Amino acid sequence: MSEDITTRRTRVRPATPADRDLWVRLHTDPEQYPFAPWWVSTEAQAEEFLERVLAHHEEHGFGYGVVESREDGRALGVAGVVLGAERTNLNLYYRLDLEAHGEGLGREVARAVVADAVEHGPDLPLTATARPDHRASIRTAESAGLALVGAVDGADLAGVPADVVARARANDPAEVPAAVVLLAPRPDVRREPFDADTRAAVLDLWCAVTEAGGAVGFTPGAPRADVAAALARHEEGMAAGLQVAVLLRDPWGGVVAAGWWAATGSPLLAHRRTAYRVMTDPARRGRNLGRLLMAAMHRTARADGVEIADLGVRGGTGTEGFYAALGYTEAGRVRGGIRVAPGDDRDDITMIRHL
């Protein structure tokens, strides 16, 4: 994963032994644990925690890090992902100084950390655990793209490794309500035409995005048959080996995001791919799914040896800012190149990113 993760206001860097005072302060303060006072550490336990964090980074090259302000460099807290004890999952963690609460920094950091893990981390389920009454922590994880699967009350949880469930319950007193587990969406890369269920789910998603005004090739009111025909053309490209679909599935298997990479077939352009139909479930807006889908798409393209990614953006939707934040730059613009309706011409913008 990335050595440093930057957001608009923060930077997450690897922890060092010099962070000992921050680590002790955060993990020995009872005010940091209003919903789980039994988790308050002693000074020695906090120091041991930091040692484990340093050892994890030394072994795996990633882990929990220190969140700093980009404005003045002050330490704001800790965040990151590590391998679970049984190596069956990645665990998301964030804890900010009390003075940094209420500014949306936890949400900002968690969204970036999860996206980086999807793009660069081990291909494992990414989970987070929270107390059921800690709504702020749950909302932060949900805003980063994770879905609340359920409480660890002895039942199996969809998509969550069994050892994660067992460990979460074992670490809490028996008399308190069970912790809850949240799970990030799972990338699903498809290189062959879809099975019937997946095809129906992708078509439903595409139609929903179209009706919500998404720039995915149609305008609201487009007949479902027309969208289905466009989907069939993508599947023809997949059958020919020229297109790859990247989906995101929620813990229950539902398709919540989708996009395609397309190649031209020319050997002169074999190092390039074009992204098409990047779409996320309108009912889950604000859940980081667009960023997670692009992270999964970049991971897929990079694994396929792609060096340059490009995509088209419809002007007037604000999406060029979204892609710019992901490292894309404008490479060309046709003024009024897209006619959405009579009298409503939009710029046709091409953006690229070197992977």
Side-chain angles (χ1 to χ4, degrees):
M1 279 180 268
S2 302
E3 188 76 359
D4 290 309
I5 301 172
T6 58
T7 73
R8 184 174 62 87
R9 295 178 291 175
T10 71
R11 167 185 176 235
V12 184
R13 60 158 177 83
T16 73
D19 297 311
R20 182 257 180 206
D21 289 348
L22 168 70
W23 220 269
V24 169
R25 182 175 74 252
L26 286 173
H27 297 97
T28 60
D29 183 0
E31 291 189 51
Q32 284 280 353
Y33 297 87
F35 300 97
W38 56 90
W39 275 104
V40 178
S41 298
T42 65
E43 183 173 326
Q45 289 170 331
E47 291 175 337
E48 181 183 353
F49 183 12
L50 177 57
E51 290 301 318
R52 293 198 305 272
V53 167
L54 298 175
H56 184 284
H57 191 280
E58 178 69 21
E59 180 178 357
H60 302 290
F62 69 93
Y64 298 154
V66 173
V67 181
E68 294 180 336
S69 166
R70 292 182 63 185
E71 180 180 10
D72 56 21
R74 63 191 172 92
L76 302 173
V78 300
V81 298
V82 296
L83 285 167
E86 303 300 326
R87 304 297 193 260
T88 61
N89 73 300
L90 294 172
N91 183 69
L92 171 67
Y93 179 67
Y94 39 84
R95 187 172 301 280
L96 299 183
D97 255 329
L98 296 176
E99 64 182 25
H101 287 192
E103 301 178 21
L105 292 171
R107 178 178 182 272
E108 185 176 317
V109 169
R111 290 165 70 92
V113 166
V114 172
D116 186 74
V118 170
E119 183 165 348
H120 300 291
D123 185 17
L124 293 170
L126 195 161
T127 65
T129 305
R131 299 302 310 155
D133 46 354
H134 198 340
R135 290 304 309 167
S137 181
I138 293 172
R139 285 194 299 268
T140 296
E142 289 177 330
S143 75
L146 281 68
L148 180 60
V149 183
V152 291
D153 56 3
D156 291 336
L157 298 181
V160 180
D163 63 283
V164 174
V165 175
R167 188 169 59 253
R169 189 52 174 152
N171 288 336
D172 289 336
E175 66 273 12
V176 303
V180 297
V181 177
L182 301 98
L183 183 67
R186 173 176 59 87
D188 180 12
V189 179
R190 296 297 182 102
R191 301 181 184 275
E192 302 291 338
F194 299 129
D195 58 84
D197 288 344
T198 300
R199 182 179 301 111
V202 173
L203 181 57
D204 286 345
L205 173 65
W206 196 338
C207 289
V209 172
T210 296
E211 290 307 305
V216 287
F218 298 93
T219 55
R224 184 178 177 89
D226 291 354
V227 181
L231 175 56
R233 289 192 290 274
H234 278 297
E235 291 193 88
E236 290 170 3
M238 295 163 70
L242 295 176
Q243 296 195 26
V244 177
V246 181
L247 316 178
L248 291 183
R249 293 186 181 270
D250 66 20
W252 303 275
V255 176
V256 297
W260 278 267
W261 285 122
T264 65
S266 168
L268 300 178
L269 303 176
H271 63 305
R272 296 176 56 181
R273 294 292 185 275
T274 299
Y276 285 104
R277 320 299 186 196
V278 175
M279 61 184 102
T280 63
D281 184 356
R284 293 174 170 86
R285 282 180 175 164
R287 295 294 182 91
N288 207 32
L289 292 180
R291 189 169 184 176
L292 298 187
L293 174 61
M294 290 307 299
M297 291 185 70
H298 293 152
R299 182 190 189 106
T300 301
R302 200 176 284 113
D304 287 347
V306 177
E307 298 173 24
I308 301 174
D310 66 79
L311 49 82
V313 175
R314 183 188 299 176
T317 62
T319 50
E320 59 263 47
F322 166 76
Y323 288 113
L326 300 182
Y328 284 81
T329 57
E330 184 175 325
R333 180 185 293 252
V334 179
R335 301 287 181 183
I338 299 174
R339 181 155 292 168
V340 176
D344 186 5
D345 292 348
R346 309 288 183 89
D347 291 354
D348 186 359
I349 307 167
T350 299
M351 303 186 75
I352 65 168
R353 173 181 163 176
H354 291 263
L355 295 178

